Amino acid sequence: MFRQICAIGCLVTSVYGGTALPAFADRVWHEKPVYRSVEPLCGAHEMSPKKLLDLSSYSLSTKEAGAIENSYVCVIRSALQGYAPAQARLGELYRLDPEGLSGGSIRGIVNDPDAALYWLKLASDAGEARASFLLGQMYELGEGTLQSDTEAAACYRLAARQGMGFAIHIVHELENRPQRVALFEARYDAKVSSGDADALLAYARAYLGGGPFIYDATKAASYVQTAADKGDARAQAMLGVMSLRGLGVSRDLEAATAWIIRAAKGGNHNEDWRLYWLHDDADLTQASIAVIEQASDEGLLRDRAVTSDKLDIVANANREPGSRVTPAMNDLSFPALMKIADSGDAGAQVNLGGRYLDGVGVAPDATVAKTWFLRAAAQNADANMILGDMAYTASPSDAVAALQYYTTAAVMGDPVGAKNAMTLYAKGGDRSKAYAMAIALDDLKARLGPLGVPSSLSKLSAEERAKALQFLCEQRLAHHR
């Protein structure tokens, strides 16, 4: 049936995640290739690892569709060939936004401290000063490893010997940590005791890596909570993000929504944009969705992404594959719908296919229905989802075709397609591609919290995870063609 959901869509635990956009386009490929979004630049022919890395940065400097995906493919291919600067770049990407508070997001990359350590250590051993420096930061923060000032200092010293001379000053700061802590406490303790919001936030940032203390997100959250309870809008916004990310507090979407809206009411609109993603998250309660909509209707939220479209996307937040008939089309006569479909409108084609599949106003005909879905498939994720459902539930089941349709739906933006593809890849033993679909789902589910990869996929090596990301990017690039 047209509204029958493929059972495998219910078998996979949802995954979440988000990261921040880096400013790292510091290299330019001066040979200026002709850039086309429909072709992966580094996939057309063999290139040296150095040229691949240069091309990665050049891709990011363009505004072409697929630039980010192409950049990832280039840097991963270069890193897998053993090129140390590319390994350092890949490690840097994997440790983006360690505190989880940055305001941007970058598609396809999730925080992965284990992978970051792996690639940075390879690059550091090969003499890359920036990799050694970033390793020092990870040890200093206890990011993906035990916190150790001793290991951090060793990495910073190595970075200084490899050419990053200023790193030696950080070694001196680590060695003088007790004195710096004493000076910090002397400056702020009295103000903290009196409830001064600036002092409370200074302590919070200090515990998040911006001061003399050893990184401790839980302690940071306690200071932010105190300032937020006192009505400081900056702290309320910050606590909203920490609740969203499970940083120092339990992950709580309802609390995140409430704190970000309280911050907006207090005049801080830095995190308004996150409400767009929260609103589209299937785990958010209807009560919180209503609160966001009310704030948007009242003009309280300033983020254009939230207010310009009146948050209409929520109507499809929990939609099921095979049941997404465009409401506006339902009332059209069959000839009117046919005319629109013949003109090339993908939504009308999906609707018309659904009518043939369900026998609405016409005799049921699965063959004709499939023809209309196929016509819409190049433009429409729903068409691919329905084709996937039809293939998977056929007798005999065609899991290969279903997998291709679900993968296409995933790269076109359908989270259910990503879940189904992840399940089928894992069932077929291709854990790398299953992990790629987990990344896609992580991206599509709103880029909110930490990646929740199914346990069966969590043991992939760093190189396998990089190949998974490469596969996902290549699929997205193929969609641009």
Side-chain angles (χ1 to χ4, degrees):
M1 295 296 289
F2 180 49
R3 292 178 175 81
Q4 180 179 18
I5 180 171
C6 180
I8 64 171
C10 302
L11 299 180
V12 187
T13 303
S14 297
V15 296
Y16 300 88
T19 47
L21 183 66
F24 65 92
D26 52 4
R27 298 171 184 255
V28 177
W29 193 39
H30 296 292
E31 296 177 43
K32 298 294 184 184
V34 176
Y35 186 80
R36 298 186 202 170
S37 62
V38 295
E39 296 180 7
L41 285 176
C42 63
H45 50 81
E46 291 301 317
M47 294 184 181
S48 69
K50 181 182 184 302
K51 186 165 288 188
L52 284 169
L53 184 59
D54 290 343
L55 185 53
S56 169
S57 293
Y58 173 76
S59 296
L60 287 181
S61 71
T62 74
K63 296 183 179 180
E64 296 281 350
I68 291 177
E69 288 84 355
N70 192 83
S71 177
Y72 290 174
V73 172
C74 292
V75 75
I76 291 168
R77 284 186 56 191
S78 181
L80 289 172
Q81 292 182 47
Y83 189 49
Q87 293 170 337
R89 181 64 55 80
L90 186 56
E92 183 178 8
L93 284 172
Y94 272 122
R95 73 170 296 265
L96 290 173
D97 194 23
E99 291 83 34
L101 294 174
S102 296
S105 59
I106 188 165
R107 297 204 307 167
I109 285 283
V110 295
N111 277 0
D112 190 338
D114 290 339
L117 286 169
Y118 173 83
W119 293 108
L120 291 176
K121 285 179 179 178
L122 285 179
S124 175
D125 290 344
E128 280 294 306
R130 180 160 182 76
S132 301
F133 182 83
L134 293 174
L135 277 175
Q137 288 185 332
M138 296 188 73
Y139 280 113
E140 183 181 356
L141 295 174
E143 184 186 328
T145 186
L146 294 176
Q147 197 283 335
S148 173
D149 281 0
T150 301
E151 291 289 345
C155 290
Y156 289 135
R157 288 193 182 94
L158 178 58
R161 291 196 301 271
Q162 290 170 334
M164 196 172 281
F166 69 87
I168 201 66
H169 297 293
I170 302 179
V171 175
H172 297 154
E173 289 185 357
L174 292 178
E175 293 172 342
N176 295 326
R177 189 191 288 275
Q179 296 92 319
R180 293 169 56 231
V181 168
L183 289 172
F184 187 93
E185 291 173 341
R187 180 179 180 183
Y188 289 111
D189 275 4
K191 294 180 179 180
V192 166
S193 298
S194 66
D196 182 85
D198 288 337
L200 289 165
L201 291 178
Y203 256 92
R205 295 187 183 100
Y207 274 112
L208 288 175
F213 301 113
I214 292 175
Y215 181 89
D216 190 326
T218 301
K219 289 183 178 179
S222 68
Y223 286 103
V224 176
Q225 180 79 59
T226 301
D229 289 339
K230 291 180 176 294
D232 187 89
R234 297 167 300 171
Q236 290 167 347
M238 190 172 180
L239 187 57
V241 178
M242 296 178 82
S243 298
L244 190 60
R245 308 299 294 277
L247 181 66
V249 295
S250 298
R251 186 169 187 268
D252 187 334
L253 302 189
E254 318 307 320
T257 301
W259 282 116
I260 292 174
I261 289 179
R262 284 183 64 179
K265 290 179 179 178
N268 186 300
H269 298 279
N270 292 342
E271 307 302 337
D272 285 2
W273 68 274
R274 296 184 189 269
L275 294 174
Y276 173 86
W277 298 107
L278 272 166
H279 187 274
D280 195 30
D281 191 278
D283 290 338
L284 194 67
T285 65
Q286 288 300 315
S288 289
I289 289 173
V291 169
I292 296 174
E293 290 174 344
Q294 181 180 353
S296 178
D297 291 341
E298 292 174 354
L300 178 62
L301 308 179
R302 293 184 182 175
D303 193 296
R304 183 178 61 81
V306 175
T307 59
S308 65
D309 60 3
K310 301 297 184 183
L311 294 170
D312 287 340
I313 194 170
V314 76
N316 292 319
N318 296 305
R319 62 192 187 274
E320 295 181 344
S323 63
R324 288 170 275 182
V325 179
T326 308
M329 299 289 183
N330 283 335
D331 297 331
L332 292 177
S333 66
F334 194 89
L337 183 60
M338 176 71 78
K339 183 176 180 180
I340 297 173
D342 277 334
S343 73
D345 185 282
Q349 291 167 347
V350 172
N351 192 287
L352 189 59
R355 291 192 184 188
Y356 273 108
L357 195 59
D358 273 354
V360 177
V362 66
D365 191 327
T367 301
V368 175
K370 184 176 181 180
T371 299
W372 284 108
F373 294 141
L374 287 171
R375 286 183 63 175
Q379 306 175 60
N380 191 281
D382 290 351
N384 285 281
M385 284 301 307
I386 298 166
L387 287 166
D389 290 347
M390 292 176 70
Y392 192 77
T393 57
S395 182
S397 177
D398 189 348
V400 174
L403 183 54
Q404 184 57 55
Y405 288 127
Y406 289 142
T407 300
T408 301
V411 300
M412 294 177 77
D414 194 298
V416 181
K419 284 201 298 185
N420 288 357
M422 179 173 66
T423 301
L424 289 179
Y425 278 125
K427 185 177 179 180
D430 195 333
R431 297 167 67 240
S432 180
K433 290 181 179 178
Y435 188 90
M437 292 299 103
I439 297 173
L441 183 57
D442 170 70
D443 184 44
L444 295 169
K445 282 295 294 180
R447 311 168 196 176
L448 294 177
L451 177 67
V453 176
S455 58
S456 61
L457 304 178
S458 61
K459 301 299 183 182
L460 290 178
S461 70
E463 293 194 6
E464 288 175 316
R465 297 201 292 278
K467 291 176 181 178
L469 176 57
Q470 179 180 343
F471 168 75
L472 175 59
C473 291
E474 289 171 344
Q475 292 295 309
R476 285 172 168 164
L477 282 168
H479 173 57
H480 288 305
R481 295 194 180 100

